[in-house]
Amino acid sequence: MNDVLDRLAELLEQRKAADPQSSYVAKLYSKGLDGILKKVGEEAAETIIAAKGGDAEKIIYETADLWFHCMVMLAHAGLKPQDVLNELARREGLSGIDEKLSRDQD
């Protein structure tokens, strides 16, 4: 799985230098953080609607769109998928309640 994420992350980095007229991702970058976040929000809403509908194929499709746009957001911020995977690994085996409490105390 990391191979797919790593390849996509590399492609997203390359698109930072691409022409917005010829690259969807470059066009997103040209809209800045607010444009990227708007797209993440749209994709999140579409994922919710798909999940409510219960069609597995639609859920997968919309989740892929959401993940993709979240990766654009990460790349815009100079972050990599591995940063998120490292955080998930850190949380592995922790109680979600305890982990949230630890964040609320900071």
Side-chain angles (χ1 to χ4, degrees):
M1 175 175 70
N2 287 5
D3 291 344
V4 172
L5 296 178
D6 289 341
R7 287 193 306 271
L8 181 53
E10 181 59 36
L11 181 66
L12 295 176
E13 283 300 314
Q14 292 171 7
R15 293 298 192 262
K16 287 181 177 179
D19 179 1
Q21 298 295 339
S22 64
S23 165
Y24 172 74
V25 173
K27 187 175 181 178
L28 281 175
Y29 287 137
S30 75
K31 293 179 179 183
L33 182 59
D34 287 345
I36 294 167
L37 295 177
K38 180 180 177 189
K39 193 63 182 171
V40 170
E42 289 171 8
E43 296 301 339
E46 290 173 7
T47 302
I48 292 166
I49 292 166
K52 290 285 285 178
D55 182 327
E57 194 171 305
K58 288 180 182 177
I59 294 168
I60 292 166
Y61 182 88
E62 295 300 343
T63 300
D65 279 354
L66 176 59
W67 287 12
F68 175 84
H69 288 89
C70 285
M71 287 185 64
V72 172
M73 176 193 64
L74 289 170
H76 180 78
L79 299 168
K80 304 271 186 219
Q82 191 61 50
D83 297 319
V84 177
L85 294 173
N86 290 345
E87 176 61 15
L88 289 172
R90 184 191 71 77
R91 295 180 187 187
E92 189 174 9
L94 292 177
S95 158
I97 293 170
D98 291 342
E99 197 280 330
K100 180 158 178 20
L101 284 172
S102 74
R103 285 187 283 136
D104 289 344
Q105 293 175 358
D106 291 340

